[in-house]
Amino acid sequence: GENVEQHPSTLSVQEGDSAVIKCTYSDSASNYFPWYKQELGKRPQLIIDIRSNVGEKKDQRIAVTLNKTAKHFSLHITETQPEDSAVYFCAASKRANNDMRFGAGTRLTVKP
Amino acid sequence: EAQVTQNPRYLITVTGKKLTVTCSQNMNHEYMSWYRQDPGLGLRQIYYSMNVEVTDKGDVPEGYKVSRKEKRNFPLILESPSPNQTSLYFCASSLFGTSKVEQYFGPGTRLTVT
């Protein structure tokens, strides 16, 4: 089955710096890659996603890139702010919903 | 308001005492799923359902049961809970077979089995 690895497990940056979180997946049939943000004590919420027919997607300060050949995708957050502090999860799925596998998560801390 | 609800939010129980965690969504979503979240392990899928009366095992189904008798409800049943099932549980739902596949998560249920 699909295996998703996520790095780093913790990341600390200064406010205003960029943050990059990387994920690799094992199943070349995976075609949907969402990123979720989980604030302390809250539920995970989708922040951005990308499908396998697209190499990059941006939404304001966040972007995701996908390299299908290398089977890895990354989350980029620019101009980080303290409210970006949270746990971020990547995931990969072969079909739109089922068979979704999550990475172990990255705890991002943005220091003011 | 579109939402996924879970009950109870917190539960402390003893080994072997059957319990049910309810999950309900009001968005007419076909797909529903249960996850458990443990430190350092991320979100692991327990069971999922693509529609009424259709359920399937995820990565960690042992010790759990589910049912999907109605589209809006997807209860998680622990017939004989054990301490290794102490965890944070999330229910999620989404549309299926369309381009809008965002999974909406419930607020979570923190279960402690002593």
Side-chain angles (χ1 to χ4, degrees), chain A residues 2-6 21-37 45-58 62-76 89-103, chain B residues 99 101-103:
Chain A
E2 174 67 275
N3 182 46
V4 178
E5 295 193 357
Q6 183 172 346
I21 303 170
K22 298 181 179 181
C23 288
T24 60
Y25 61 99
S26 60
D27 192 336
S28 55
S30 290
N31 60 3
Y32 175 65
F33 307 93
W35 286 88
Y36 286 81
K37 176 183 180 182
Q45 291 191 295
L46 181 73
I47 55 171
I48 195 167
D49 56 12
I50 192 168
R51 297 182 181 280
S52 58
N53 58 349
V54 176
E56 183 176 4
K57 185 176 178 181
K58 287 184 181 178
I62 60 173
V64 58
T65 58
L66 172 65
N67 183 325
K68 282 178 60 179
T69 304
K71 292 198 287 237
H72 67 71
F73 56 113
S74 300
L75 177 71
H76 304 253
F89 292 100
C90 63
S93 175
K94 275 185 284 192
R95 282 186 286 178
N97 287 323
N98 61 329
D99 250 4
M100 186 168 287
R101 296 292 188 269
F102 285 81
Chain B
S99 60
V101 295
E102 175 180 355
Q103 287 207 25

